Amino acid sequence: MAPNDVDLAEESADLDGYFSDAPLDPEPNYPVLRETFDTAVVLTNLPKAPAAKAEKLTKVVSRLVSKIGPLAITENFAGLQIPTDPTTGDTLGFAFIEYVSAVDAAQAVKSLADYAFDKNHKLTAIPYIQALDLEQIEEGEFTEPEPAPFKEKADTSSWLQDPSQRDQFVVRHAKETVVNWSDGRHPPI
């Protein structure tokens, strides 16, 4: 045999079973499709950071939300997404977060409600399903509702007020209690 024939025989033995006449049945391996968004949370009132600081903001928010529970990380999604303006690259002031479990998402909603992110921003976390309900609200000009008419309430401290503008003070000694009145011009009564 020629040297080339030996190399081909070894290569053929290595590839034995690789090529077959069996039909290929490629069955894709998709993740389980979830019908609900109970693991997703929308985090609002984040700072609107410029493009240069967007990465730093993402790291800070990621560190904050990952303390609550593990994020649902896939090859295309890191469990956290902070949308940016396509023209300027500035963040838009909110984020989408997905947790592995619905329990962690519910805990995030509770933990991040009115969370003081910095001195100017108190975060609000709402379930993604509630955010979808906002889509049904019609856009239009905002009209401020009429305030309720003012109603005078009863003065609950009127019993403390003296019509003669005197001060009242109590002196207690042993089992004896004395209530005195003083108007400042005369000795206490």
Side-chain angles (χ1 to χ4, degrees), residues 30-119:
Y30 295 120
V32 177
L33 178 65
R34 292 181 301 200
E35 299 288 329
T36 64
F37 292 103
D38 56 352
T39 59
V41 175
V42 179
L43 190 62
T44 61
N45 203 24
L46 283 171
K48 293 183 179 179
K53 295 185 177 182
E55 185 177 336
K56 183 176 181 180
L57 177 66
T58 303
K59 287 180 182 178
V60 170
V61 173
S62 178
R63 194 175 319 127
L64 172 68
V65 298
S66 62
K67 288 179 183 177
I68 297 168
L71 301 179
I73 299 173
T74 62
E75 58 189 54
N76 297 330
F77 183 64
L80 169 71
Q81 180 183 7
I82 301 178
T84 57
D85 184 354
T87 57
T88 63
D90 297 349
T91 62
L92 297 176
F94 64 95
F96 297 106
I97 306 163
E98 186 175 0
Y99 287 96
V100 173
S101 71
V103 174
D104 291 335
Q107 181 63 35
V109 170
K110 290 178 189 173
S111 299
L112 297 174
D114 294 329
Y115 181 84
F117 188 70
D118 58 21
K119 67 180 183 178

Coordinates of all heavy atoms in Angstrom, one line a residue, residues 30-119:
Y30 N -35.7 23.5 22.7 CA -36.2 24.8 23.1 C -36.4 24.8 24.6 O -36.8 23.7 25.2 CB -37.5 25.1 22.4 CG -37.4 25.3 21.0 CD1 -38.1 24.5 20.1 CD2 -36.6 26.3 20.4 CE1 -38.0 24.7 18.7 CE2 -36.5 26.5 19.1 CZ -37.2 25.7 18.2 OH -37.1 25.9 16.9
P31 N -36.2 25.9 25.3 CA -36.5 26.0 26.7 C -38.1 25.9 26.9 O -38.8 26.1 26.0 CB -36.0 27.3 27.2 CG -35.9 28.1 25.9 CD -35.7 27.2 24.8
V32 N -38.5 25.6 28.1 CA -39.9 25.5 28.4 C -40.5 26.8 28.2 O -40.0 27.8 28.7 CB -40.1 24.9 29.8 CG1 -41.6 24.9 30.2 CG2 -39.4 23.6 30.0
L33 N -41.6 26.9 27.5 CA -42.4 28.1 27.3 C -43.2 28.4 28.5 O -44.1 27.6 28.8 CB -43.2 28.0 26.0 CG -44.0 29.3 25.7 CD1 -43.1 30.4 25.4 CD2 -45.0 29.0 24.5
R34 N -43.0 29.6 29.0 CA -43.9 30.0 30.1 C -44.9 30.9 29.6 O -44.7 31.8 28.8 CB -43.0 30.7 31.2 CG -42.1 29.8 31.9 CD -41.3 30.5 32.9 NE -40.6 31.6 32.2 CZ -39.5 32.2 32.7 NH1 -39.1 31.9 33.9 NH2 -38.9 33.2 32.1
E35 N -46.2 30.7 30.1 CA -47.3 31.5 29.6 C -47.5 32.7 30.4 O -48.3 33.6 30.0 CB -48.6 30.6 29.7 CG -48.5 29.4 28.8 CD -48.6 29.7 27.3 OE1 -49.3 30.7 27.0 OE2 -48.0 28.9 26.5
T36 N -46.9 32.9 31.6 CA -47.1 34.0 32.4 C -45.8 34.8 32.6 O -44.7 34.3 32.3 CB -47.6 33.6 33.8 OG1 -46.5 32.9 34.4 CG2 -48.8 32.8 33.8
F37 N -46.0 36.0 33.0 CA -44.8 36.9 33.3 C -44.6 37.1 34.8 O -44.2 38.2 35.2 CB -45.0 38.2 32.5 CG -45.0 38.1 31.1 CD1 -46.2 38.2 30.3 CD2 -43.8 38.0 30.4 CE1 -46.2 38.1 29.0 CE2 -43.8 37.9 29.0 CZ -45.0 38.0 28.3
D38 N -44.9 36.1 35.6 CA -44.9 36.3 37.0 C -43.5 36.4 37.6 O -43.3 36.8 38.7 CB -45.7 35.2 37.7 CG -45.2 33.8 37.4 OD1 -44.3 33.7 36.5 OD2 -45.6 32.8 38.0
T39 N -42.5 36.1 36.8 CA -41.1 36.3 37.2 C -40.5 37.6 36.8 O -39.3 37.9 37.1 CB -40.2 35.1 36.7 OG1 -40.2 35.1 35.3 CG2 -40.7 33.8 37.2
A40 N -41.2 38.4 36.0 CA -40.7 39.7 35.5 C -41.1 40.9 36.3 O -42.3 40.9 36.8 CB -41.1 39.8 34.0
V41 N -40.2 41.8 36.5 CA -40.5 43.0 37.3 C -40.0 44.2 36.4 O -39.0 44.2 35.8 CB -39.8 43.0 38.6 CG1 -39.9 44.3 39.4 CG2 -40.2 41.8 39.4
V42 N -40.8 45.3 36.6 CA -40.3 46.6 35.9 C -39.9 47.5 37.1 O -40.7 47.8 38.0 CB -41.5 47.3 35.1 CG1 -41.0 48.6 34.5 CG2 -42.0 46.3 34.0
L43 N -38.7 48.0 37.0 CA -38.1 48.9 38.0 C -38.1 50.3 37.4 O -37.5 50.6 36.4 CB -36.7 48.5 38.3 CG -36.0 49.1 39.5 CD1 -36.8 48.8 40.8 CD2 -34.6 48.6 39.6
T44 N -38.9 51.2 38.1 CA -39.0 52.6 37.6 C -38.3 53.6 38.5 O -37.9 53.3 39.6 CB -40.5 53.0 37.4 OG1 -41.1 52.9 38.7 CG2 -41.2 52.0 36.5
N45 N -38.2 54.8 37.9 CA -37.6 56.0 38.6 C -36.1 55.8 38.8 O -35.6 56.3 39.8 CB -38.3 56.3 40.0 CG -38.1 57.7 40.4 OD1 -37.9 58.6 39.5 ND2 -38.2 58.0 41.7
L46 N -35.5 55.1 37.9 CA -34.0 55.1 37.9 C -33.5 56.4 37.3 O -34.2 57.1 36.6 CB -33.5 53.9 37.0 CG -33.7 52.5 37.5 CD1 -33.3 51.5 36.4 CD2 -32.7 52.3 38.7
P47 N -32.3 56.7 37.7 CA -31.7 58.0 37.1 C -31.5 57.8 35.6 O -31.3 56.7 35.1 CB -30.3 58.1 37.7 CG -30.3 57.1 38.9 CD -31.4 56.1 38.6
K48 N -31.7 58.9 34.9 CA -31.5 59.0 33.4 C -30.0 59.3 33.2 O -29.7 60.5 33.2 CB -32.4 59.9 32.8 CG -33.9 59.5 32.9 CD -34.8 60.5 32.1 CE -36.2 60.0 32.2 NZ -37.2 60.9 31.6
A49 N -29.2 58.3 33.0 CA -27.8 58.5 32.9 C -27.3 58.7 31.5 O -27.9 58.1 30.6 CB -27.1 57.3 33.5
P50 N -26.3 59.5 31.3 CA -25.8 59.6 29.9 C -25.1 58.3 29.5 O -24.8 57.4 30.3 CB -24.8 60.7 30.0 CG -24.4 60.8 31.5 CD -25.6 60.3 32.2
A51 N -24.9 58.2 28.2 CA -24.3 56.9 27.6 C -23.0 56.5 28.3 O -22.7 55.4 28.4 CB -24.1 57.1 26.1
A52 N -22.2 57.5 28.7 CA -20.9 57.2 29.3 C -21.1 56.5 30.6 O -20.2 55.7 31.1 CB -20.1 58.5 29.4
K53 N -22.2 56.8 31.3 CA -22.4 56.2 32.7 C -23.4 55.1 32.7 O -23.7 54.5 33.7 CB -22.8 57.3 33.6 CG -21.8 58.3 33.9 CD -22.2 59.3 34.9 CE -21.1 60.3 35.2 NZ -21.5 61.2 36.3
A54 N -23.9 54.7 31.5 CA -24.9 53.6 31.4 C -24.4 52.3 31.9 O -25.1 51.6 32.6 CB -25.5 53.5 30.0
E55 N -23.2 52.0 31.6 CA -22.6 50.7 32.0 C -22.5 50.6 33.6 O -22.8 49.6 34.2 CB -21.3 50.4 31.4 CG -20.7 49.1 31.6 CD -19.4 48.8 30.9 OE1 -19.2 49.4 29.8 OE2 -18.6 48.0 31.4
K56 N -22.0 51.7 34.1 CA -21.9 51.8 35.6 C -23.2 51.7 36.3 O -23.4 50.9 37.3 CB -21.2 53.1 36.0 CG -20.9 53.2 37.5 CD -20.2 54.4 37.8 CE -19.9 54.5 39.3 NZ -19.2 55.7 39.7
L57 N -24.3 52.3 35.7 CA -25.6 52.2 36.3 C -26.1 50.8 36.2 O -26.7 50.3 37.2 CB -26.6 53.2 35.6 CG -28.0 53.1 36.0 CD1 -28.2 53.6 37.4 CD2 -28.9 54.0 35.1
T58 N -25.8 50.1 35.1 CA -26.3 48.8 34.9 C -25.6 47.9 36.0 O -26.3 47.0 36.6 CB -25.9 48.3 33.5 OG1 -26.5 49.1 32.6 CG2 -26.4 46.8 33.3
K59 N -24.3 48.1 36.3 CA -23.7 47.3 37.3 C -24.2 47.5 38.7 O -24.4 46.5 39.4 CB -22.2 47.6 37.3 CG -21.4 47.0 36.1 CD -19.9 47.3 36.2 CE -19.2 46.8 34.9 NZ -17.8 47.2 35.0
V60 N -24.5 48.7 39.0 CA -25.1 49.1 40.3 C -26.5 48.5 40.5 O -26.8 47.8 41.5 CB -25.1 50.6 40.5 CG1 -25.9 51.0 41.8 CG2 -23.7 51.1 40.6
V61 N -27.3 48.6 39.5 CA -28.7 48.1 39.5 C -28.6 46.5 39.6 O -29.3 45.9 40.3 CB -29.5 48.6 38.4 CG1 -30.9 47.9 38.3 CG2 -29.7 50.1 38.5
S62 N -27.7 45.9 38.8 CA -27.6 44.5 38.8 C -27.2 44.0 40.1 O -27.7 42.9 40.6 CB -26.5 44.1 37.7 OG -26.4 42.7 37.7
R63 N -26.2 44.6 40.8 CA -25.8 44.2 42.1 C -27.0 44.3 43.1 O -27.1 43.5 44.0 CB -24.6 45.1 42.6 CG -23.9 44.5 43.8 CD -22.6 45.3 44.1 NE -21.9 45.7 43.0 CZ -21.5 47.0 42.8 NH1 -21.8 48.0 43.6 NH2 -20.8 47.3 41.7
L64 N -27.8 45.4 43.0 CA -28.9 45.6 43.9 C -30.0 44.5 43.7 O -30.4 43.9 44.7 CB -29.5 47.0 43.7 CG -30.8 47.3 44.4 CD1 -30.5 47.4 45.9 CD2 -31.4 48.6 43.8
V65 N -30.4 44.3 42.5 CA -31.5 43.3 42.3 C -31.0 41.9 42.4 O -31.9 41.0 42.7 CB -32.1 43.5 40.9 CG1 -32.7 44.9 40.8 CG2 -31.2 43.3 39.8
S66 N -29.8 41.6 42.2 CA -29.3 40.2 42.4 C -29.2 39.8 43.9 O -29.1 38.6 44.2 CB -28.0 39.9 41.7 OG -27.0 40.8 42.2
K67 N -29.2 40.8 44.8 CA -29.2 40.4 46.2 C -30.6 39.8 46.6 O -30.6 39.1 47.6 CB -29.0 41.7 47.1 CG -27.6 42.2 47.0 CD -27.5 43.5 47.9 CE -26.1 44.1 47.7 NZ -26.0 45.3 48.5
I68 N -31.6 40.1 45.9 CA -33.0 39.6 46.3 C -33.1 38.1 45.8 O -33.7 37.3 46.6 CB -34.0 40.5 45.6 CG1 -33.9 41.9 46.1 CG2 -35.4 39.9 45.8 CD1 -34.7 42.9 45.4
G69 N -32.6 37.8 44.7 CA -32.7 36.4 44.2 C -31.9 36.3 42.9 O -31.5 37.3 42.3
P70 N -31.7 35.0 42.4 CA -31.0 34.8 41.2 C -31.8 35.3 40.0 O -33.0 35.1 39.9 CB -30.7 33.3 41.1 CG -31.8 32.8 42.0 CD -32.1 33.8 43.1
L71 N -31.1 36.0 39.1 CA -31.7 36.5 37.9 C -31.7 35.3 36.8 O -30.9 34.5 36.8 CB -30.9 37.7 37.3 CG -30.8 38.9 38.2 CD1 -30.0 40.0 37.6 CD2 -32.1 39.4 38.6
A72 N -32.7 35.4 35.9 CA -32.9 34.4 34.9 C -32.0 34.8 33.7 O -32.3 35.7 32.9 CB -34.3 34.4 34.4
I73 N -30.8 34.2 33.7 CA -29.8 34.5 32.7 C -29.8 33.5 31.6 O -29.8 32.3 31.8 CB -28.4 34.5 33.4 CG1 -28.4 35.6 34.4 CG2 -27.3 34.8 32.3 CD1 -27.1 35.6 35.3
T74 N -29.9 34.0 30.3 CA -29.8 33.1 29.1 C -28.7 33.7 28.3 O -28.0 34.7 28.7 CB -31.1 33.2 28.3 OG1 -31.4 34.5 27.9 CG2 -32.3 32.7 29.2
E75 N -28.5 33.1 27.1 CA -27.4 33.5 26.3 C -27.6 34.9 25.7 O -26.7 35.6 25.3 CB -27.1 32.5 25.2 CG -28.2 32.2 24.3 CD -27.9 31.0 23.4 OE1 -27.5 29.9 23.9 OE2 -28.1 31.2 22.2
N76 N -28.9 35.3 25.6 CA -29.2 36.6 25.0 C -29.7 37.6 26.0 O -29.9 38.7 25.6 CB -30.3 36.4 23.9 CG -29.9 35.5 22.8 OD1 -28.7 35.5 22.4 ND2 -30.8 34.8 22.2
F77 N -29.9 37.2 27.2 CA -30.5 38.1 28.2 C -29.8 37.9 29.6 O -29.7 36.8 30.0 CB -32.0 37.9 28.3 CG -32.7 38.8 29.3 CD1 -32.8 40.1 29.0 CD2 -33.3 38.3 30.4 CE1 -33.4 41.0 29.9 CE2 -34.0 39.1 31.3 CZ -34.0 40.5 31.0
A78 N -29.3 39.0 30.2 CA -28.6 38.9 31.4 C -29.4 39.0 32.6 O -28.9 39.1 33.7 CB -27.5 40.0 31.5
G79 N -30.8 38.9 32.5 CA -31.7 39.0 33.6 C -32.0 40.4 34.0 O -32.9 40.7 34.7
L80 N -31.3 41.4 33.4 CA -31.6 42.8 33.6 C -31.4 43.6 32.3 O -30.4 43.3 31.6 CB -30.6 43.4 34.7 CG -30.6 44.9 34.8 CD1 -31.8 45.4 35.5 CD2 -29.4 45.3 35.6
Q81 N -32.3 44.4 31.9 CA -32.2 45.3 30.8 C -32.6 46.7 31.1 O -33.7 46.9 31.5 CB -33.0 44.7 29.6 CG -32.8 45.6 28.3 CD -33.7 45.1 27.2 OE1 -34.5 44.2 27.3 NE2 -33.5 45.7 26.0
I82 N -31.7 47.6 30.9 CA -32.0 49.0 31.0 C -32.1 49.7 29.6 O -31.1 49.8 29.0 CB -31.0 49.8 31.9 CG1 -30.9 49.1 33.3 CG2 -31.3 51.2 32.0 CD1 -29.9 49.7 34.2
P83 N -33.3 50.0 29.2 CA -33.4 50.5 27.8 C -32.8 51.9 27.7 O -32.7 52.7 28.6 CB -34.9 50.6 27.6 CG -35.5 49.7 28.6 CD -34.6 49.7 29.8
T84 N -32.2 52.2 26.5 CA -31.6 53.4 26.2 C -32.2 54.1 25.0 O -32.9 53.5 24.2 CB -30.1 53.2 25.9 OG1 -30.0 52.3 24.8 CG2 -29.4 52.7 27.1
D85 N -32.0 55.4 24.9 CA -32.5 56.2 23.8 C -31.6 55.8 22.6 O -30.4 56.0 22.7 CB -32.4 57.7 24.1 CG -33.0 58.5 23.0 OD1 -33.4 58.0 22.0 OD2 -33.1 59.8 23.3
P86 N -32.2 55.4 21.5 CA -31.4 55.0 20.3 C -30.6 56.2 19.7 O -29.5 55.9 19.2 CB -32.4 54.5 19.3 CG -33.7 54.8 19.8 CD -33.6 55.2 21.2
T87 N -31.0 57.4 19.9 CA -30.3 58.5 19.3 C -29.1 59.0 20.2 O -28.0 59.2 19.7 CB -31.2 59.7 19.0 OG1 -31.9 60.1 20.1 CG2 -32.2 59.3 17.9
T88 N -29.4 59.1 21.5 CA -28.4 59.7 22.4 C -27.6 58.6 23.2 O -26.5 58.8 23.6 CB -29.0 60.7 23.3 OG1 -29.9 60.0 24.2 CG2 -29.7 61.8 22.6
G89 N -28.2 57.5 23.4 CA -27.6 56.4 24.2 C -27.9 56.6 25.7 O -27.4 55.8 26.5
D90 N -28.6 57.6 26.1 CA -29.0 57.9 27.5 C -30.0 56.8 27.9 O -30.9 56.4 27.2 CB -29.5 59.3 27.7 CG -28.5 60.4 27.3 OD1 -27.3 60.0 27.1 OD2 -28.9 61.5 27.3
T91 N -29.9 56.5 29.2 CA -30.9 55.5 29.8 C -32.3 56.3 29.9 O -32.3 57.5 30.0 CB -30.5 55.0 31.1 OG1 -30.4 56.1 32.1 CG2 -29.2 54.3 31.0
L92 N -33.3 55.5 29.9 CA -34.7 56.1 29.9 C -35.3 56.1 31.3 O -36.4 56.6 31.4 CB -35.6 55.3 28.9 CG -35.2 55.3 27.5 CD1 -36.0 54.4 26.6 CD2 -35.2 56.7 26.9
G93 N -34.6 55.6 32.3 CA -35.1 55.8 33.7 C -35.9 54.6 34.2 O -36.6 54.7 35.2
F94 N -35.9 53.4 33.5 CA -36.5 52.2 34.0 C -35.7 51.0 33.5 O -34.8 51.1 32.7 CB -38.0 52.2 33.5 CG -38.2 52.0 32.0 CD1 -38.3 50.8 31.4 CD2 -38.2 53.2 31.2 CE1 -38.5 50.7 30.1 CE2 -38.4 53.1 29.9 CZ -38.5 51.8 29.3
A95 N -36.1 49.9 34.1 CA -35.4 48.6 33.8 C -36.3 47.4 33.8 O -37.3 47.5 34.6 CB -34.2 48.4 34.8
F96 N -36.0 46.4 33.0 CA -36.8 45.2 33.1 C -35.9 44.1 33.8 O -34.7 44.0 33.5 CB -37.1 44.7 31.7 CG -38.0 45.6 30.9 CD1 -37.5 46.4 29.9 CD2 -39.3 45.7 31.2 CE1 -38.3 47.2 29.2 CE2 -40.1 46.5 30.5 CZ -39.6 47.3 29.5
I97 N -36.5 43.4 34.7 CA -35.7 42.4 35.5 C -36.5 41.1 35.4 O -37.7 41.1 35.6 CB -35.6 42.8 37.0 CG1 -35.0 44.2 37.1 CG2 -34.8 41.8 37.8 CD1 -35.2 44.9 38.4
E98 N -35.8 40.0 35.3 CA -36.4 38.7 35.3 C -35.7 37.8 36.3 O -34.5 37.7 36.2 CB -36.5 38.0 33.9 CG -37.3 36.7 34.0 CD -37.4 36.1 32.6 OE1 -36.9 36.6 31.6 OE2 -38.0 35.0 32.5
Y99 N -36.5 37.3 37.2 CA -35.9 36.4 38.2 C -36.2 34.9 37.8 O -37.0 34.7 37.0 CB -36.6 36.7 39.6 CG -36.1 38.0 40.2 CD1 -36.7 39.1 40.1 CD2 -34.9 38.0 40.9 CE1 -36.3 40.3 40.6 CE2 -34.4 39.2 41.5 CZ -35.1 40.3 41.3 OH -34.6 41.5 41.8
V100 N -35.5 34.0 38.5 CA -35.7 32.6 38.2 C -37.1 32.1 38.7 O -37.7 31.3 38.1 CB -34.5 31.8 38.9 CG1 -34.8 30.3 38.7 CG2 -33.2 32.1 38.2
S101 N -37.5 32.6 39.9 CA -38.7 32.2 40.4 C -39.7 33.4 40.7 O -39.3 34.5 40.8 CB -38.5 31.5 41.8 OG -38.1 32.4 42.8
A102 N -41.0 33.1 40.7 CA -42.0 34.1 41.0 C -41.9 34.6 42.4 O -42.3 35.7 42.7 CB -43.4 33.5 40.7
V103 N -41.4 33.8 43.3 CA -41.3 34.2 44.7 C -40.3 35.3 44.8 O -40.5 36.3 45.5 CB -40.9 33.0 45.6 CG1 -40.6 33.4 47.0 CG2 -42.0 31.9 45.5
D104 N -39.2 35.2 44.1 CA -38.1 36.2 44.1 C -38.6 37.5 43.5 O -38.3 38.6 44.0 CB -36.9 35.7 43.4 CG -36.1 34.6 44.1 OD1 -36.3 34.5 45.3 OD2 -35.4 33.8 43.4
A105 N -39.5 37.4 42.4 CA -40.0 38.6 41.8 C -41.0 39.3 42.8 O -41.0 40.5 42.9 CB -40.7 38.2 40.5
A106 N -41.8 38.5 43.5 CA -42.7 39.1 44.4 C -41.9 39.8 45.6 O -42.3 40.9 46.0 CB -43.7 38.1 45.0
Q107 N -40.9 39.2 46.0 CA -40.0 39.7 47.0 C -39.4 41.0 46.5 O -39.2 42.0 47.3 CB -39.0 38.7 47.5 CG -38.0 39.2 48.6 CD -38.8 39.5 49.9 OE1 -39.7 38.9 50.2 NE2 -38.4 40.6 50.6
A108 N -39.0 41.1 45.3 CA -38.4 42.3 44.7 C -39.4 43.4 44.7 O -39.0 44.6 45.0 CB -37.8 42.0 43.3
V109 N -40.6 43.1 44.4 CA -41.6 44.2 44.4 C -41.8 44.8 45.8 O -41.9 46.0 46.0 CB -43.0 43.6 43.8 CG1 -44.1 44.6 44.0 CG2 -42.8 43.3 42.4
K110 N -41.8 43.9 46.8 CA -41.9 44.4 48.2 C -40.6 45.1 48.6 O -40.7 46.2 49.2 CB -42.2 43.2 49.1 CG -43.5 42.6 49.0 CD -43.6 41.4 49.9 CE -44.9 40.6 49.6 NZ -45.0 39.4 50.4
S111 N -39.5 44.6 48.3 CA -38.2 45.1 48.8 C -37.8 46.4 48.1 O -37.3 47.3 48.8 CB -37.1 44.1 48.6 OG -37.3 43.0 49.3
L112 N -38.2 46.6 46.9 CA -37.7 47.8 46.1 C -38.8 48.9 46.1 O -38.6 49.9 45.5 CB -37.3 47.4 44.7 CG -36.1 46.4 44.6 CD1 -35.9 46.0 43.2 CD2 -34.9 47.1 45.2
A113 N -39.9 48.7 46.8 CA -40.9 49.7 46.8 C -40.4 50.9 47.7 O -40.0 50.7 48.8 CB -42.2 49.2 47.4
D114 N -40.4 52.0 47.1 CA -39.8 53.3 47.8 C -38.4 53.1 48.3 O -38.0 53.6 49.3 CB -40.8 53.7 48.9 CG -42.1 54.1 48.4 OD1 -42.2 54.6 47.3 OD2 -43.1 53.9 49.2
Y115 N -37.6 52.3 47.5 CA -36.2 52.1 47.9 C -35.4 53.4 47.5 O -35.5 53.9 46.4 CB -35.6 50.9 47.1 CG -34.2 50.6 47.5 CD1 -33.9 49.9 48.6 CD2 -33.2 51.1 46.6 CE1 -32.5 49.6 48.9 CE2 -31.9 50.8 46.9 CZ -31.5 50.1 48.0 OH -30.2 49.8 48.3
A116 N -34.7 54.0 48.5 CA -33.9 55.2 48.2 C -32.6 54.8 47.5 O -31.6 54.4 48.1 CB -33.6 55.9 49.5
F117 N -32.7 54.9 46.1 CA -31.5 54.6 45.3 C -30.4 55.6 45.5 O -29.2 55.3 45.6 CB -31.9 54.5 43.8 CG -30.9 54.0 42.9 CD1 -30.5 52.7 43.0 CD2 -30.3 54.8 42.0 CE1 -29.6 52.2 42.1 CE2 -29.3 54.3 41.1 CZ -29.0 53.0 41.2
D118 N -30.8 56.9 45.5 CA -29.9 58.0 45.9 C -30.8 59.1 46.5 O -31.9 58.9 46.7 CB -29.0 58.4 44.7 CG -29.8 58.9 43.5 OD1 -31.0 59.3 43.7 OD2 -29.3 59.0 42.4
K119 N -30.2 60.2 46.7 CA -31.0 61.3 47.4 C -32.1 61.8 46.5 O -33.0 62.4 47.0 CB -30.1 62.4 47.9 CG -29.4 63.2 46.8 CD -28.6 64.3 47.5 CE -27.9 65.2 46.4 NZ -27.2 66.2 46.9

